């Protein structure tokens, strides 16, 4: 198929709108057909006058927040994406990245046809083949690997919203417990594990903050505004405009710190000390919600004794924050209880002791009486819908992650049909229902505890998402077989034996998006246009592989429509009906304590929020959070911090034409005084070298007072080494490549990534 050269820019978008207005006025003053008049004037018809507008419903795949969208296309071309007003998450609004969905889809660098490797691994040399050849070849490789080493020797890594088909459906039907999502152990696993340990419920994909009535918002390393989740920004802005107090704890003066009543520029890695001191103040000054604590919590006496020495003065010496500011902020929270809460962060794998930090956060929220109270943290409920009625899978248990919803997770450790647990099992103590992705790399290299010989990578940016990519490359060299399923020729694709090019979210049906929420809801994805080039959806790929691998009993459905209709029938709906109802089904929630009519909403062993965890004590972990110091940067080095940019998602959108135009390369935030001390000008290019000698590409310095002098900061996702990505290749520096080490959180299996240090190098 011919290359589609469509360049969409803000200017051309505005121009097309203006052309629309011109066309309307021209059409009024002429008897000739509009297209003719416009042609005579050197103008083109605006998209919405080109033909019949087709409307389809979908959920945005430009980041894991997955806002409901309405897609407008004409004659097989997508022109516009709007927020779906019926969707409780987008409420008719979108962020810049969501608006750029069509730009992502029409990226001319997209993968176009299935490919089989011809050169050496990593060389990126492939031949285009038919789907038949690619599928037969892949099925044969998987069959041989499974027969020789057992089904668990195939690992499946998956992310983006189509990952269900590979990471959940295919992996479980095939029988491997080694299926993992980066959104678990590289992102949310400490907050999920801490939540289950403390109050018995996971947080789930949608953080249950009761934004409408909250009066005091505390953000710890959550940079709303740069973390540009659409409605979270709107919710925050509304609460702020209502006058809610805002406390931001961040070593960097983030965008949201600029809106705060209190900015606490904490020394990186010392947050647990601050949290313990806040607990100390709340208890010592009897500021906590005493009725709530006595009714709904256990272990208060132990907690009070534990924190008695952790005074603001004690924490001040550790955190670099003034003791009176620590005291003052604790009092502000208490003045607003129970409409006060520390927002559960999202990317919380920081220093390796992250579950304990998250537990300290939840303990404070409980002292404030926030759980199940209006303006605090509500209870999410999963919507009711049946699974597709397939025979029991060979492995049960979810691979977890940002998108795992409460009620869908299994508390059992998944076992393969050969009785082997997942290969990371020995290394993590709890991590229920999820696998630590980064811990599966070692078995690929060492063969211990048993060999992993083949890897399926679906929608994971393998070399830009997992710390220590140098080790991942070593694993890629050792594996017998690698299948990459992606839409773009990302860096890791060059290491695959077979490449399956996927149709993007706007071109395919997908599993329903089932969201635990205050108002539980289900969203649909239907294609707006036919897939471009020779691309196919994941559901089709797994079915074709399944049939070739003798897994017919799981693939009785022939099309995604058939599969989805079977699920929707269980709630009296169908794809057609959902389409008529704007693509969304909303159910009734159970958000507050009052909705439980005296029953405990906390499914812990005690039925209460557990300040003291007997489960942790039994496993020889601290039953109440303690502060553990982290390593200091060596002389001449800075701690490497990283985060989001509002117009980019992880390492996936740097090549998207519209977004690349807005922010083409990242910058190094360096304290202005440090820059002056080292004689580095604002805007100069430097290189970074980490504690293990790993080097970055050149990065432009942003000399600023907005960051502490012991740390530097960059936006994640840049510095990619992927020659086929014509816009992103080699632009900016990669935080991942400077993360040659991580600190494993022994409770959640999370990979703490903020334990790397860099020094500035002036020449290559
Ligand atoms: P992305 O870079 O978005 O991140 O980890 P990833 O999900 O790996 O990679 C998405 C991949 O999916 C890309 O290769 C993209 O081309 C591909 N893709 C996009 N759309 C589709 C599709 O429709 N189908 C298919 N098959 N592929 C598609 C995210 C993870 O990274 C997370 S959740 C967090 S919070 C961590 N953040 C983070 C960080 O901030 N810094 C560092 N250094 N590492 C991090 N790792 C974690
Ligand atoms: P990070 O981006 O890692 O996580 O968003 P967040 O959960 O907000 O946040 C980094 C912030 O933590 C920075 O401001 C940094 O200065 C601060 N920080 C660093 N070290 C410390 C420390 O020791 N203590 C404290 N208190 N603060 C520290 C991630 C979230 O973003 C996720 S997980 C997803 S899935 C979404 N991804 C995403 C995206 O890719 N792009 C955009 N634009 N928005 C996104 N929103 C979501
Ligand atoms: Fe899409 Fe933006 Fe919503 Fe993420 S926050 S799902 S990118 S519109």
């Amino acid at each position: 198929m011919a290359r589609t050269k469509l360049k969409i820019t803000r200017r051309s978008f505005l121009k097309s709108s203006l052309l629309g207005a011109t066309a309307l006025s021209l059409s009024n003053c002429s008897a000739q057909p509009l297209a003719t008049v416009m042609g005579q004037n050197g103008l083109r018809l605006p998209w919405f006058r080109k033909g019949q507008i087709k409307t389809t419903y979908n959920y945005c795949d430009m980041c894991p927040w997955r806002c409901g969208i309405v897609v407008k296309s004409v004659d097989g071309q997508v022109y516009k994406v709007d927020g779906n007003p019926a969707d409780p998450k987008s409420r008719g609004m979108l962020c810049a990245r969501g608006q750029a969905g069509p730009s992502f889809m029409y990226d001319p660098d997209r993968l176009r046809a299935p490919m089989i490797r011809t050169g050496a691994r990593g060389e990126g040399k492939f031949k285009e083949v038919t789907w038949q050849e690619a599928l037969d070849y892949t099925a044969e490789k998987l069959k041989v690997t499974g027969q020789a080493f057992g089904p668990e020797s195939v690992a499946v890594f998956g992310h983006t919203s189509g990952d269900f088909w590979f990471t959940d459906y295919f992996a479980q039907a095939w029988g491997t417990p080694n299926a993992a999502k980066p959104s678990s152990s590289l992102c949310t696993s400490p907050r999920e594990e801490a939540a289950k340990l403390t109050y018995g419920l996971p947080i789930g994909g949608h953080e249950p903050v009761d934004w409408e009535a909250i009066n005091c918002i505390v953000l710890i390393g959550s940079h709303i505004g740069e973390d540009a989740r659409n409605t979270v920004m709107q919710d925050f802005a509304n609460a702020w405009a209502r006058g809610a107090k805002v406390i931001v704890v961040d070593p960097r003066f983030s965008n949201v710190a600029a809106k705060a009543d209190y900015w606490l520029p904490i020394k990186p890695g010392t947050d647990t000390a601050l949290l313990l001191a806040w607990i100390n103040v709340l208890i010592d000054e009897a500021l906590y919600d005493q009725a709530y604590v006595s009714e709904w919590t256990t272990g208060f006496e132990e907690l009070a004794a534990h924190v008695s020495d952790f005074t603001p003065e004690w924490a001040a010496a550790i955190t670099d924050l003034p003791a009176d500011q620590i005291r003052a902020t604790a009092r502000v929270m208490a003045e607003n209880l129970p409409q006060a809460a520390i927002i559960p962060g999202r990317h919380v794998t920081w220093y390796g002791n992250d579950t304990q930090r998250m537990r300290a956060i939840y303990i404070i929220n409980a002292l404030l009486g926030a759980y199940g109270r209006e303006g605090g943290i509500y209870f999410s409920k999963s919507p009711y819908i049946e699974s597709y009625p397939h025979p029991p899978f060979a492995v049960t248990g979810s691979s977890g992650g940002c998108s795992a919803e409460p009620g869908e997770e299994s508390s059992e450790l998944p076992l393969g049909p050969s009785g082997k647990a997942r290969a990371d099992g020995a290394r993590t103590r709890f991590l229920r229902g999820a696998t630590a992705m980064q811990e599966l790399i070692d078995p690929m290299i060492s063969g211990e505890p048993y060999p992993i010989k083949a890897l399926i990578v679906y929608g994971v940016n393998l070399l830009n998402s997992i710390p220590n990519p140098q080790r991942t490359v070593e694993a890629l060299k050792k594996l017998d077989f690698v299948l990459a399923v992606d839409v773009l020729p990302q860096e890791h694709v060059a290491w695959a034996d077979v490449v399956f090019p996927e149709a993007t979210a706007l071109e395919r049906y997908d599993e329903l998006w089932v969201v635990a929420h205050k108002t539980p809801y289900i969203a649909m994805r239907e294609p707006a246009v036919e897939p471009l080039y020779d691309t196919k959806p994941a559901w089709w790929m797994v079915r074709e592989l399944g049939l070739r691998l003798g897994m017919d009993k799981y693939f009785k459905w022939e099309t995604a429509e058939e599969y989805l209709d079977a699920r929707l029938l269980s709630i009296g709906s169908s794809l057609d009906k959902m389409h008529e109802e704007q693509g969304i089904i909303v159910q009734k929630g159970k958000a507050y304590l009052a909705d439980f009519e005296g029953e405990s909403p906390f499914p812990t062993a005690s039925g209460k929020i557990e300040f003291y965890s007997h489960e942790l004590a039994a496993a020889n972990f601290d039953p109440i959070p303690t502060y553990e110091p982290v390593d200091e940067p060596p002389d001449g080095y800075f701690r490497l911090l990283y985060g989001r940019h509002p117009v980019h998602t992880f390492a996936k959108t740097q090549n998207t034409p519209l977004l690349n135009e807005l922010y083409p390369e990242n910058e190094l935030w360096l304290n202005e005084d440090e820059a002056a001390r080292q004689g580095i000008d604002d805007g100069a290019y430097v290189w970074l070298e980490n504690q293990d000698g790993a080097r970055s590409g050149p990065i432009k310095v942003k000399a600023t007072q907005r960051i502490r002098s012991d740390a530097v900061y960059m936006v994640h996702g840049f510095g990619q080494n992927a020659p086929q990505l014509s816009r992103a290749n080699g632009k900016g520096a990669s935080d991942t490549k400077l993360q040659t080490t991580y600190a494993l959180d022994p409770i959640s299996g999370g990979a703490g990534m903020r334990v790397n240090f860099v020094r500035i190098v002036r020449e290559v």
Side-chain angles (χ1 to χ4, degrees):
M1 185 177 277
R3 262 179 184 243
T4 313
K5 281 259 179 204
L6 183 74
K7 174 124 171 96
I8 305 169
T9 64
R10 279 174 303 158
R11 278 187 297 282
S12 61
F13 179 76
L14 287 173
K15 206 163 133 195
S16 81
S17 308
L18 285 173
L19 286 180
T22 317
L24 283 172
S25 58
L26 283 173
S27 71
N28 287 340
C29 66
S30 168
Q32 295 181 62
L34 179 60
T36 314
V37 178
M38 293 193 67
Q40 286 164 356
N41 287 278
L43 299 173
R44 277 185 298 144
L45 271 178
W47 70 268
F48 50 84
R49 303 294 297 266
K50 282 187 170 167
Q52 185 74 30
I53 297 176
K54 180 180 161 193
T55 299
T56 47
Y57 298 100
N58 209 312
Y59 45 91
C60 176
D61 199 33
M62 294 298 283
C63 94
W65 196 238
R66 296 179 196 165
C67 297
I69 54 176
V70 184
V71 186
K72 300 275 170 57
S73 54
V74 177
D75 281 349
Q77 173 107 23
V78 174
Y79 284 97
K80 191 147 173 22
V81 172
D82 292 307
N84 184 347
D87 180 275
K89 199 160 324 213
S90 75
R91 306 193 302 259
M93 296 175 280
L94 291 186
C95 79
R97 297 165 298 147
Q99 297 283 355
S103 181
F104 180 78
M105 170 183 164
Y106 289 117
D107 185 336
D109 294 337
R110 261 181 74 173
L111 294 167
R112 284 149 191 263
M115 300 190 293
I116 293 184
R117 176 168 66 84
T118 51
R121 279 238 178 97
E123 220 182 345
K125 289 194 178 152
F126 296 94
K127 63 174 179 194
E128 289 191 0
V129 295
T130 62
W131 275 104
Q132 173 91 357
E133 285 173 275
L135 288 159
D136 287 349
Y137 184 81
T138 302
E140 185 55 27
K141 289 283 182 188
L142 293 177
K143 199 182 287 173
V144 168
T145 308
Q147 278 164 356
F149 301 99
E152 61 282 344
S153 65
V154 177
V156 185
F157 289 0
H159 204 205
T160 86
S161 53
D163 68 346
F164 164 81
W165 298 106
F166 274 94
T167 329
D168 299 289
Y169 205 91
F170 180 83
Q172 293 181 57
W174 163 261
T176 178
N178 295 315
K181 306 189 184 195
S183 44
S184 181
S185 65
L186 304 177
C187 184
T188 59
S189 64
R191 78 168 196 187
E192 297 301 317
E193 205 51 70
K196 285 178 243 168
L197 285 162
T198 312
Y199 57 95
L201 296 164
I203 301 280
H206 188 101
E207 290 84 10
V209 178
D210 206 17
W211 287 105
E212 286 92 344
I214 198 162
N215 285 333
C216 176
I217 302 160
V218 187
L219 296 167
I220 300 207
S222 289
H223 54 345
I224 295 177
E226 289 152 293
D227 153 7
R229 278 169 296 152
N230 177 25
T231 28
V232 177
M233 294 191 294
Q234 316 291 343
D235 288 333
F236 172 83
N238 290 339
W240 181 76
R242 245 190 323 102
K245 292 272 179 247
V246 178
I247 299 168
V248 170
V249 183
D250 198 311
R252 195 175 61 93
F253 190 69
S254 59
N255 288 3
V256 77
K259 302 277 175 240
D261 297 277
Y262 296 87
W263 171 45
L264 278 57
I266 196 165
K267 182 173 172 183
T270 64
D271 296 79
T272 310
L274 169 68
L275 294 162
L276 291 170
W278 275 344
I279 298 175
N280 171 293
V281 176
L282 291 174
I283 295 179
D284 191 49
E285 299 186 13
L287 300 175
Y288 61 97
D289 186 332
Q290 296 180 24
Y292 183 96
V293 165
S294 87
E295 186 171 2
W296 291 116
T297 70
T298 63
F300 179 77
E301 296 306 323
E302 290 93 332
L303 177 69
H306 178 72
V307 298
S308 61
D309 292 335
F310 300 143
T311 59
E313 287 67 26
W314 166 81
I318 296 170
T319 57
D320 267 4
L321 300 170
D324 52 359
Q325 196 180 39
I326 298 176
R327 220 169 245 115
T329 42
R331 290 174 186 156
V332 171
M333 285 182 236
E335 279 158 20
N336 289 286
L337 70 77
Q339 280 82 38
I342 306 180
I343 310 305
R346 196 170 179 94
H347 176 53
V348 292
T349 46
W350 295 359
Y351 298 99
N353 55 359
D354 303 305
T355 304
Q356 294 289 13
R357 186 185 70 251
M358 293 311 297
R359 253 177 64 68
I361 287 175
Y362 302 148
I363 287 171
I364 292 176
N365 286 344
L367 289 170
L368 296 171
Y371 291 103
R373 307 281 284 281
E374 226 175 301
I377 307 281
Y378 63 77
F379 298 118
S380 292
K381 188 165 170 282
S382 290
Y384 170 72
I385 185 163
E386 296 286 331
S387 304
Y388 182 87
H390 54 69
F393 282 141
V395 170
T396 49
S398 153
S399 38
C402 286
S403 49
E405 292 300 330
E408 292 196 335
E409 294 184 5
S410 156
S411 60
E412 299 299 318
L413 279 186
L415 290 181
S418 32
K420 289 183 188 161
R422 58 196 195 198
D424 74 346
R427 304 186 178 221
T428 59
R429 302 294 290 275
F430 285 85
L431 201 65
R432 289 160 286 203
T435 312
M437 178 176 271
Q438 78 286 349
E439 299 307 305
L440 294 180
I441 303 291
D442 279 344
M444 297 179 195
I445 300 170
S446 67
E448 297 296 337
Y450 54 78
I452 291 182
K453 291 286 190 182
L455 174 64
I456 298 175
V457 190
Y458 174 90
V460 171
N461 204 326
L462 197 66
L463 296 172
N464 287 288
S465 303
I466 308 179
N468 200 349
Q470 296 80 354
R471 180 184 62 152
T472 309
V473 165
E474 210 184 313
L476 285 168
K477 287 180 184 161
K478 283 228 166 178
L479 286 164
D480 286 351
F481 180 68
V482 181
L483 166 66
V485 187
D486 212 296
V487 297
L488 286 168
Q490 301 278 13
E491 198 164 337
H492 67 279
V493 170
W495 291 87
D497 297 299
V498 178
V499 180
F500 286 180
E502 192 173 23
T504 63
L506 301 182
E507 303 161 289
R508 64 182 198 235
Y509 280 106
D510 230 320
E511 175 59 303
L512 299 165
W513 176 225
V514 176
V515 185
H517 196 267
K518 195 172 180 180
T519 52
Y521 73 93
I522 300 168
M524 75 186 295
R525 169 170 292 159
E526 57 183 350
V529 292
E530 288 296 309
L532 285 178
Y533 321 118
D534 195 7
T535 62
K536 298 278 186 194
W539 65 262
W540 182 87
M541 298 173 198
V542 299
R543 187 170 185 281
E544 289 296 320
L545 279 180
L547 296 179
R548 283 167 173 77
L549 289 164
M551 291 149 59
D552 311 39
K553 65 179 174 182
Y554 300 115
F555 297 99
K556 296 290 181 211
W557 47 273
E558 291 190 2
T559 61
E561 291 100 304
E562 200 184 306
Y563 171 97
L564 295 167
D565 270 334
R567 285 200 76 190
L568 286 166
L569 187 62
S570 69
I571 48 168
S573 189
S574 67
L575 282 176
D576 286 344
K577 209 165 163 211
M578 253 192 116
H579 179 90
E580 280 164 25
E581 290 165 1
Q582 289 185 268
I584 302 287
I585 296 169
V586 179
Q587 298 180 359
K588 197 167 174 319
K590 214 172 165 185
Y592 302 119
L593 282 169
D595 296 325
F596 288 79
E597 295 168 352
E599 299 264 306
S600 168
F602 303 111
T604 52
S606 60
K608 299 200 169 185
I609 300 171
E610 302 196 343
F611 290 154
Y612 182 100
S613 168
H614 291 281
E615 206 177 344
L616 284 175
N620 284 331
F621 290 113
D622 290 327
I624 304 178
T626 49
Y627 165 68
E628 286 169 34
V630 296
D631 286 344
E632 297 284 329
D635 269 357
Y637 285 76
F638 301 88
R639 187 177 298 279
L640 175 63
L641 306 181
Y642 54 85
R644 311 283 170 242
H645 185 279
V647 306
H648 283 293
T649 296
F650 304 125
K652 109 171 184 179
T653 55
Q654 283 69 12
N655 204 60
T656 302
L658 195 57
L659 301 178
N660 176 275
E661 192 182 312
L662 294 174
Y663 191 69
E665 64 181 275
N666 60 356
E667 301 150 300
L668 182 75
W669 289 48
L670 173 65
N671 178 276
E672 209 168 67
D673 299 336
E674 271 302 317
R677 206 176 56 74
Q678 298 203 23
I680 299 170
D681 293 333
D682 183 43
Y685 278 86
V686 297
W687 286 258
L688 297 172
E689 186 178 274
N690 85 347
Q691 72 284 342
D692 296 322
R695 281 279 182 107
S696 75
I699 181 167
K700 201 197 293 182
V701 169
K702 173 185 171 114
T704 173
Q705 286 300 341
R706 290 174 59 186
I707 188 163
R708 289 173 53 99
S709 57
D710 51 1
V712 290
Y713 174 88
M714 66 172 72
V715 170
H716 166 60
F718 286 84
Q720 300 180 26
N721 175 17
Q724 311 296 318
L725 295 179
S726 57
R727 283 165 295 279
N729 184 39
K731 294 283 170 55
S734 161
D735 56 336
T736 311
K737 305 219 164 87
L738 293 164
Q739 292 168 346
T740 47
T741 190
Y742 60 85
L744 183 68
D745 177 4
I747 302 177
S748 74
M753 301 184 209
R754 295 185 183 157
V755 296
N756 288 276
F757 306 107
V758 292
R759 70 184 185 91
I760 294 171
V761 180
R762 308 294 289 279
E763 45 198 52
V764 202

